[in-house]
Amino acid sequence: MKKLKYIILLVIVLGASCKKLNIPPQNIIQDADVFGSSGGIEAYMARIYSELPIEDFRYSPTRGLNYFWIISPFPAISGEALSRDQTSATQETFNYWGAAYSLIRECNYLTETLPTYSKSYSTAQIANWMGEARFIRGATYFALVKRYGGVPLVDKVLTTPGETIDQVVATINELKIPRASEQAVYDFVATDLDYAYTNLPETNKHGRATKYVAAGFKSRAMLFAGSIAKYNTTTLVDPATSNRVCGIPSTKATAYFQAAYDAAKLLDGKFSLYKKTWAAGDPNAQYLNYVNLFFDATSTENVFVKEYQYPNSVHGYDAYNVPRQLIGANGYSAEVNPTLDLVEMYDGFPKNADGTIKNLDASGNYVLYTNTMDIFANAEPRLRATVILPGDIFKSQSIEIRRGIYTGSSAGGINPLIPVGSTATYPTTNLVTSATATQTAYTLPNGTKMNPAGLSGVFGSDGTCAISGFSVRKWLVPDKPTSEVLENRSDQTWIEMRYAEVLLNRAEAAYELYSAGVTTIDYRTDALTIINQIRDRAGAPLLLGFTSVNDIRKERRKELAFENKTWWDMRRWRVADVEQNGTLYRTLLPFFSADANKYFFDARFDERNRRYTFDPRWYYETIPTAAIAKSTNLIQNPGY
Amino acid sequence: MKRILYCTTLCLVLAGSSCKKIDNYAAPAETLTGTVLDAGLGTGVQTEIGSGGTRVKLLETSWSATPTPLYFVGKQDGTFNNTKVFAATYKVSVEGAFVPLVQTDASGATTVDKSQTITLKGTANLTFNVEPFLRIDWVGNPVTNADGTVSVQFKVTRGTTQTAFLSDVTDIFLFISDTQYDGNNNYDPRYSNQVTYAGTTGTALLGTTLTFTTKTALPKSQTYYLRVGARTGYGLKQYNYNAPKAIAIP
């Protein structure tokens, strides 16, 4: 009996010792968990898509990507708008570097690991996922190269699974990868996007890449590369590798423009300009059509979108940017106020010979209007859909923008309040204004009362108003109740790439090819046809021809205003330092003449005298010094 | 219970105090001083203070042939002085609005290298002879006009004949400031007068006597500093300057 006890004990001891200890940790998700099921791969995809560097509603140059609090808006550094919280030129300050290489690693990890699980999936599924990973990697390298020039190219996972810290440290010098040439990075982006184009399907789930997204991104990236080759003047060669990390040889420009043109052409016939409710000769229909373009989920113009959904994934665009009189409970409003410089690019209102707005009559006095919208009565519909003009209707309200009431005599005409081109403050005589939204009404000669400033400004010292005389309209949801105009309450879709941009890429590339003397097809006519398609949809008069590439650039700036593209365009054209050279932006401020019972407009420089100077060094951003400290083979960009 | 507490406290105090490390490396105390001279004239090359002006580049080559460079900015009159530099071997050069002292070809190979290698111990005084892109010379003194504005006359000429550095003149700027530290990063835009040039229009003005006037009258009972800057489209488009002139508005 006693023996039996020992035998049982022996069995228990032996049995227990059979337990295997060499198993993967149970609390860490293993490759098989992720790549073994399509659900796992979808989750992986969701993560890398969310990290894709898109400058959308949640981006600001000083705060970063995927940031929630966007009160220093991007358009306020490109001359598109003035903002009370972003009052000077700047380069990006958030060091997009580490996050990019994390994302690149995630893409590399997927493309290296997925093939070992390929027997669980169809060929089409594998091609789709591999294509998406390469698309995201290509887009990420593009985000790096447009900021820094040449960056280290990492096309594989640099560590092996299970490597110890000591093993990593032993090979640390191999991990200090020097910068590749700027040209090599653009070529790498092109290769990734070509791979994506070949492998991705024609259609995919909403917000996911298709072959046409890859082609569209390629047209964008190659246009950048061509512009750098043609317009850049900075050179930096890494002596250790002979890589030209800043600048591309000018002889490469034509090949890049050709690649941009060819890539854009791939979308031909697959997408179209949104014209669902557009009607020829009907400005109002054209205006509504242009507003709807940004909100119609079935738009044939959407190439690549980033979707939001309350309450899981949100932004605060409406809260930060509604006109002052529609302010939400968080107390934000009017962060983006379009400059007169932007508005003057559009057509359909009286202009002087130099293109500036004609607010004075032949004898130099103000032109008087019954309503503030009268001067814009025939404005291009696209302008109304992009900018809230003073007195225009938004959310069933007339957006009232007025700087003050002029109480002087109007007999014989009203002289400009300050000399044209002056930066002086307005005189206090004959002028009633309001410092804040708490106003004291002024009694007009006919006995009625009127607040000196409009409900949406302009106030003398409170900046939460239309400080430029305009408020932004693009992207604002036209029927969002004020109770929902809150931070983290907006969920409209960001259209990262729409077909209009691809067409503009194509037109610009075509014109550059024409300028370079390429005559395989009539590129100039092709560019003109495209620009006129866009102008026709916008409700602008058609162009008969081009005087220079600036006609195409101007069209691009109008069409893509407030879509966070303009600043990058100014950089790649290398015009930012010329445009922002001690520059004051202009505003258009409406005044009411109590005597004449009419409105007039004063076009003047930004009252706050905020000057913008783009430092030529900023064409290549500072490589984060922390990155150089970690990887000492990186060389810094010039001037830092 | 109390004893355990005392013991623990004692152990922690001993363990904690033994961790103290003293950085006994001597603080940097050597001095690097010198001047950036216009090779043609022998005078200091005027610049703006701050990161947009002339700066000194130090490569500490004692440990590595390709060290991360150290920089410090020079003074407005072309001199520089740093009294807190570690003793070591340095390859020193200067960067600014002049023909680069170190030039490389398309492959990154050094074609010109006028940097100076020193073993710094005590004080080193270096002189760099450079060719500024542009020279700006006063012609006469500032003149107060009847309307209270101030006019100056000056000439802009090239400081180099090397064809690679003869880019077109893009800006000529009369800077006004109430301090002598006058330049593109510090000026009063109400009075300063900036003229930008497209194509070769600015280049055509080289060598001629130019007259620039403040935008508006300078307020009375104050001293202002006037300075002219000019730049070409080369590289980082840094300005060359003349020496500031003070004008006391009575």
Side-chain angles (χ1 to χ4, degrees):
Chain A
M1 198 59 216
K2 236 184 185 174
K3 251 182 198 167
L4 190 66
K5 253 194 209 164
Y6 285 116
I7 289 167
I8 291 170
L9 191 67
L10 195 69
V11 167
I12 289 171
V13 168
L14 285 178
S17 67
C18 280
K19 196 167 170 76
K20 268 193 194 166
L21 295 173
N22 187 19
I23 56 159
Q26 301 285 297
N27 59 342
I28 293 175
I29 295 172
Q30 302 300 313
D31 279 356
D33 303 327
V34 176
F35 297 102
S37 72
S38 56
I41 294 174
E42 292 293 309
Y44 198 99
M45 282 291 167
R47 176 181 166 81
I48 60 177
Y49 268 98
S50 74
E51 291 173 345
L52 194 59
I54 291 178
E55 289 108 28
D56 67 345
F57 298 120
R58 291 165 60 96
Y59 163 80
S60 138
T62 57
R63 293 168 197 276
L65 293 153
N66 280 323
Y67 202 85
F68 79 99
W69 192 45
I70 301 301
I71 59 155
S72 33
F74 200 27
I77 68 166
S78 62
E80 292 163 275
L82 298 175
S83 173
R84 73 174 182 282
D85 290 313
Q86 180 63 48
T87 54
S88 63
T90 181
Q91 63 171 338
E92 286 186 332
T93 55
F94 63 93
N95 293 340
Y96 183 65
W97 187 275
Y101 280 101
S102 299
L103 178 54
I104 288 163
R105 185 181 194 278
E106 283 159 17
C107 294
N108 287 336
Y109 198 86
L110 184 131
T111 51
E112 284 178 17
T113 315
L114 186 57
T116 58
Y117 294 86
S118 58
K119 57 182 181 299
S120 318
Y121 308 106
S122 69
T123 326
Q125 278 176 307
I126 293 284
N128 187 349
W129 290 325
M130 294 289 278
E132 285 183 284
R134 291 289 287 273
F135 161 73
I136 290 171
R137 189 175 78 176
T140 308
Y141 270 112
F142 173 57
L144 286 170
V145 72
K146 76 177 178 181
R147 291 176 163 88
Y148 303 108
V151 294
L153 284 177
V154 183
D155 60 355
K156 58 178 192 293
V157 177
L158 293 173
T159 55
T160 46
E163 242 184 336
T164 64
I165 297 291
D166 288 339
Q167 286 166 322
V168 174
V169 170
T171 57
I172 196 85
N173 283 323
E174 289 165 37
L175 301 178
K176 294 181 178 177
I177 302 169
R179 297 171 67 183
S181 71
E182 184 166 17
Q183 186 188 337
V185 180
Y186 274 111
D187 291 344
F188 190 86
V189 171
T191 311
D192 268 356
L193 295 175
D194 283 342
Y195 178 93
Y197 178 80
T198 313
N199 285 278
L200 283 168
E202 293 232 346
T203 56
N204 207 336
K205 293 183 188 121
H206 261 263
R208 301 274 290 263
T210 66
K211 58 175 2 97
Y212 301 116
V213 175
F217 266 69
K218 191 185 173 195
S219 79
R220 185 190 277 179
M222 294 299 99
L223 191 62
F224 268 67
S227 307
I228 303 297
K230 185 164 181 186
Y231 300 106
N232 170 59
T233 57
T234 308
T235 299
L236 180 67
V237 180
D238 184 344
T241 58
S242 295
N243 291 336
R244 185 174 172 189
V245 297
C246 294
I248 297 174
S250 56
T251 49
K252 302 285 175 192
T254 307
Y256 283 124
F257 286 130
Q258 188 70 56
Y261 183 88
D262 294 343
K265 200 97 197 277
L266 293 172
L267 281 77
D268 214 0
K270 308 292 178 186
F271 296 86
S272 60
L273 292 178
Y274 180 84
K275 287 172 98 170
K276 217 176 254 183
T277 54
W278 189 90
D282 183 348
N284 204 48
Q286 292 171 359
Y287 152 70
L288 288 173
N289 177 72
Y290 203 92
V291 170
N292 294 340
L293 143 64
F294 293 93
F295 301 102
D296 188 339
T298 64
S299 165
T300 52
E301 192 171 333
N302 291 355
V303 178
F304 189 53
V305 299
K306 180 170 178 180
E307 292 185 319
Y308 286 90
Q309 184 217 42
Y310 179 80
N312 299 313
S313 167
V314 289
H315 58 87
Y317 187 81
D318 293 279
Y320 298 126
N321 297 307
V322 284
R324 171 60 197 245
Q325 70 197 76
L326 296 164
I327 193 167
N330 295 132
Y332 292 101
S333 66
E335 279 288 354
V336 173
N337 303 291
T339 58
L340 179 58
D341 304 66
L342 175 78
V343 170
E344 280 172 344
M345 288 186 198
Y346 295 84
D347 295 296
F349 53 88
K351 286 186 188 180
N352 299 310
D354 63 355
T356 55
I357 193 164
K358 191 173 163 55
N359 60 326
L360 303 177
D361 62 19
S363 49
N365 294 324
Y366 288 118
V367 181
L368 300 178
Y369 296 94
T370 309
N371 295 302
T372 46
M373 268 308 274
D374 292 353
I375 189 170
F376 295 110
N378 300 311
E380 177 183 323
R382 177 172 57 181
L383 171 61
R384 280 187 67 204
T386 306
V387 173
I388 297 182
L389 303 165
D392 208 352
I393 305 294
F394 180 66
K395 292 191 189 177
S396 314
Q397 286 196 30
S398 170
I399 302 303
E400 195 188 33
I401 300 171
R402 181 170 63 244
R403 179 70 181 86
I405 298 173
Y406 179 73
T407 56
S409 164
S410 64
I414 303 170
N415 275 317
L417 298 171
I418 55 170
V420 175
S422 167
T423 55
T425 51
Y426 283 121
T428 47
T429 48
N430 289 340
L431 208 56
V432 192
T433 58
S434 282
T436 66
T438 313
Q439 307 197 50
T440 312
Y442 176 81
T443 310
L444 299 174
N446 64 10
T448 57
K449 293 209 172 222
M450 184 187 231
N451 280 330
L455 288 170
S456 288
V458 183
F459 311 122
S461 57
D462 179 352
T464 58
C465 64
I467 50 178
S468 68
F470 303 103
S471 216
V472 70
R473 171 169 234 143
K474 195 180 268 188
W475 302 113
L476 283 179
V477 179
D479 53 0
K480 198 174 192 66
T482 297
S483 60
E484 289 178 13
V485 176
L486 298 170
E487 294 181 280
N488 298 327
R489 189 67 176 81
S490 292
D491 62 357
Q492 59 265 44
T493 299
W494 175 262
I495 307 172
E496 172 56 21
M497 177 171 274
R498 55 193 180 96
Y499 189 51
E501 185 205 329
V502 179
L503 285 178
L504 286 161
N505 292 348
R506 176 172 152 189
E508 191 182 326
Y511 193 86
E512 294 284 10
L513 287 170
Y514 157 78
S515 310
V518 182
T519 52
T520 35
I521 61 166
D522 187 351
Y523 284 110
R524 193 167 183 272
T525 307
D526 192 59
L528 188 62
T529 311
I530 291 168
I531 293 298
N532 277 336
Q533 281 173 22
I534 286 172
R535 290 180 69 88
D536 189 39
R537 194 267 300 268
L542 301 188
L543 290 184
L544 300 172
F546 294 124
T547 52
S548 76
V549 71
N550 286 336
D551 293 336
I552 293 167
R553 292 180 179 178
K554 189 171 157 189
E555 202 57 41
R556 184 179 179 91
R557 295 173 82 143
K558 286 188 279 187
E559 182 68 25
L560 302 180
F562 308 112
E563 295 182 38
N564 293 355
K565 309 284 190 285
T566 300
W567 192 71
W568 300 110
D569 289 335
M570 287 162 62
R571 273 173 105 246
R572 73 182 164 89
W573 294 326
R574 297 295 193 252
V575 299
D577 72 294
V578 179
E579 267 187 43
Q580 297 187 341
N581 186 4
T583 302
L584 283 171
Y585 286 105
R586 295 170 65 241
T587 62
L588 185 73
L589 303 181
F591 287 85
F592 185 74
S593 165
D595 186 42
N597 208 25
K598 287 191 170 187
Y599 285 93
F600 61 86
F601 293 91
D602 188 48
R604 64 161 295 157
F605 288 115
D606 176 15
E607 276 190 273
R608 308 166 305 164
N609 283 320
R610 299 295 188 184
R611 282 178 191 269
Y612 283 70
T613 301
F614 185 98
D615 188 328
R617 290 183 293 181
W618 296 346
Y619 288 127
Y620 290 100
E621 291 184 11
T622 323
I623 305 273
T625 46
I628 297 179
K630 276 183 274 194
S631 183
T632 44
N633 290 331
L634 297 177
I635 62 167
Q636 185 57 278
N637 279 331
Y640 298 111
Chain B
M1 190 62 210
K2 250 187 180 169
R3 229 174 59 187
I4 295 175
L5 194 70
Y6 287 141
C7 284
T8 316
T9 315
L10 190 68
C11 284
L12 279 176
V13 167
L14 285 175
S17 54
S18 67
C19 283
K20 194 172 170 76
K21 261 191 196 167
I22 294 168
D23 180 357
N24 58 357
Y25 200 91
E30 317 311 316
T31 298
L32 180 61
T33 182
T35 320
V36 182
L37 288 183
D38 182 330
L41 301 177
T43 54
V45 175
Q46 293 278 333
T47 185
E48 73 190 44
I49 52 161
S51 66
T54 302
R55 63 176 183 171
V56 183
K57 179 179 183 181
L58 299 177
L59 292 170
E60 215 271 59
T61 52
S62 318
W63 310 97
S64 155
T66 54
T68 302
L70 297 166
Y71 295 96
F72 69 91
V73 295
K75 297 188 198 178
Q76 176 164 301
D77 61 358
T79 61
F80 54 86
N81 187 32
N82 187 343
T83 60
K84 299 275 184 291
V85 189
F86 281 113
T89 304
Y90 295 103
K91 208 173 155 189
V92 189
S93 66
V94 286
E95 295 179 348
F98 41 79
V99 175
L101 294 184
V102 181
Q103 293 168 31
T104 54
D105 63 10
S107 69
T110 307
T111 51
V112 175
D113 189 352
K114 292 182 184 165
S115 56
Q116 304 179 20
T117 302
I118 55 161
T119 307
L120 186 59
K121 186 82 191 153
T123 300
N125 195 332
L126 300 178
T127 302
F128 291 95
N129 287 298
V130 303
E131 297 178 22
F133 296 133
L134 297 172
R135 289 181 187 136
I136 298 108
D137 295 300
W138 291 115
V139 175
N141 280 320
V143 179
T144 309
N145 302 313
D147 62 356
T149 59
V150 173
S151 292
V152 296
Q153 290 198 312
F154 56 91
K155 271 185 192 175
V156 182
T157 51
R158 295 236 190 241
T160 178
T161 53
Q162 300 185 42
T163 46
F165 305 100
L166 302 181
S167 305
D168 283 318
V169 177
T170 58
D171 301 76
I172 300 178
F173 207 145
L174 169 61
F175 297 103
I176 316 289
S177 170
D178 51 9
T179 74
Q180 59 173 308
Y181 303 110
D182 202 0
N184 190 39
N185 55 353
N186 181 36
Y187 63 92
D188 194 327
R190 289 172 295 180
Y191 319 119
S192 302
N193 191 1
Q194 178 173 29
V195 183
T196 58
Y197 301 94
T200 57
T201 49
T203 311
L205 301 174
L206 289 173
T208 61
T209 300
L210 302 172
T211 306
F212 271 46
T213 304
T214 58
K215 273 199 278 192
T216 53
L218 297 185
K220 294 191 185 307
S221 313
Q222 204 172 336
T223 298
Y224 284 93
Y225 293 85
L226 291 81
R227 201 180 190 198
V228 178
R231 65 177 175 180
T232 67
Y234 179 82
L236 299 176
K237 299 182 74 172
Q238 288 165 299
Y239 276 93
N240 287 107
Y241 296 91
N242 56 8
K245 275 200 175 186
I247 183 168
I249 309 290

